[in-house]
Amino acid sequence: QKEVEQNSGPLSVPEGAIASLNCTYSDRVSQSFFWYRQYSGKSPELIMSIYSNGDKEDGRFTAQLNKASQYVSLLIRDSQPSDSATYLCAPRADSWGKLQFGAGTQVVVTP
Amino acid sequence: NAGVTQTPKFQVLKTGQSMTLQCAQDMNHNSMYWYRQDPGMGLRLIYYSASEGTTDKGEVPNGYNVSRLNKREFSLRLESAAPSQTSVYFCASSHRDRTTDEQFFGPGTRLTVL
């Protein structure tokens, strides 16, 4: 069983719509959660971090965390073609900053 | 600031050859990491260095060795390359004390082992 599971993609989203990405994790001690975006052929870059249960909004991105359900999600509002990328969920349980990455969900925003 | 740099960008090796991947960061970060990324498998941690002078195994360390040369540099060595080590290798760094604990990634090294 994978420790971090994400929606299998690709997720096709019309331009202007909301993209919803889900992530579940198995390690109950995970305290910090990160979403990275990776464009094809490029390196990952951090777009969101969340540490407490509830919602956290940053521009068009909203992260939602439910530690009891071991679930974290990312919403992308008003999706743009530039949002087409793979999104990696990465919980962190280790005190030395080791991340556990999911396989990623590819998002394709269609005009 | 260049951030995290990696050399080389591309490399083709024959089975049994050795090579060292170089990584350097200019952000004064304490922690550095080596990942490999294979299709459908996400990023997997090979080795990490929590601080200068320390290194520890990650999820997939077999076939690799690392050296934390100083605070800036963290190298990854393949002693005897195997086709299973064909992958994209990313180096990353982070400053553990920062609230965001963001990891910054280098551009990657695309390695093919024939």
Side-chain angles (χ1 to χ4, degrees):
Chain A
Q1 182 181 357
K2 290 184 182 177
E3 296 185 23
V4 181
E5 299 237 23
Q6 297 186 239
N7 317 60
S8 58
L11 181 65
S12 184
V13 180
E15 185 173 355
I18 295 175
S20 178
L21 307 174
N22 301 319
C23 174
T24 58
Y25 58 94
S26 61
D27 193 342
R28 287 194 166 273
V29 302
S30 295
Q31 293 297 318
S32 309
F33 303 85
F34 303 87
W35 283 99
Y36 282 78
R37 177 177 61 198
Q38 186 175 23
Y39 292 114
S40 181
K42 302 295 184 182
S43 55
E45 56 180 339
L46 183 69
I47 55 169
M48 286 287 287
S49 58
I50 186 166
Y51 304 92
S52 304
N53 283 330
D55 295 358
K56 179 182 177 182
E57 188 174 315
D58 185 359
R60 295 185 296 108
F61 297 98
T62 299
Q64 300 172 317
L65 175 61
N66 184 326
K67 291 184 182 179
S69 300
Q70 296 175 243
Y71 172 86
V72 58
S73 67
L74 180 70
L75 300 177
I76 307 173
R77 293 185 302 280
D78 187 24
S79 295
Q80 301 297 309
S82 61
D83 295 325
S84 296
T86 296
Y87 292 79
L88 304 169
C89 171
R92 179 171 69 83
D94 189 274
S95 61
W96 288 110
K98 287 191 295 183
L99 300 178
Q100 192 85 34
F101 283 90
T105 299
Q106 184 186 4
V107 172
V108 179
V109 180
T110 55
Chain B
N1 288 351
V4 180
T5 56
Q6 292 183 235
T7 55
K9 287 187 168 53
F10 300 93
Q11 185 71 49
V12 178
L13 292 177
K14 294 181 179 178
T15 297
Q17 289 185 316
S18 62
M19 78 162 295
T20 299
L21 282 64
Q22 306 286 355
C23 174
Q25 52 91 11
D26 62 3
M27 295 173 283
N28 201 36
H29 285 165
N30 299 321
S31 301
M32 298 186 74
Y33 313 85
W34 276 107
Y35 294 93
R36 62 177 288 174
Q37 187 172 37
D38 303 296
M41 305 219 28
L43 288 156
R44 292 183 292 170
L45 184 64
I46 304 171
Y47 270 93
Y48 69 101
S49 172
S51 61
E52 186 179 356
T54 67
T55 60
D56 283 287
K57 296 178 181 179
E59 182 185 354
V60 288
N62 290 346
Y64 305 95
N65 284 301
V66 291
S67 295
R68 183 75 183 266
L69 303 171
N70 48 54
K71 192 171 186 178
R72 289 187 63 248
E73 298 172 287
F74 189 37
S75 63
L76 178 71
R77 183 160 178 83
L78 285 71
E79 291 291 351
S80 179
S84 61
Q85 294 178 304
T86 293
S87 188
V88 180
Y89 291 85
F90 289 103
C91 177
S93 70
S94 70
H95 186 49
R96 177 61 184 86
D97 291 335
R98 289 185 64 179
T99 302
T100 60
D101 195 28
E102 176 179 0
Q103 289 194 15
F104 294 82
F105 286 81
T109 295
R110 282 145 184 82
L111 175 67
T112 300
V113 182
L114 302 175

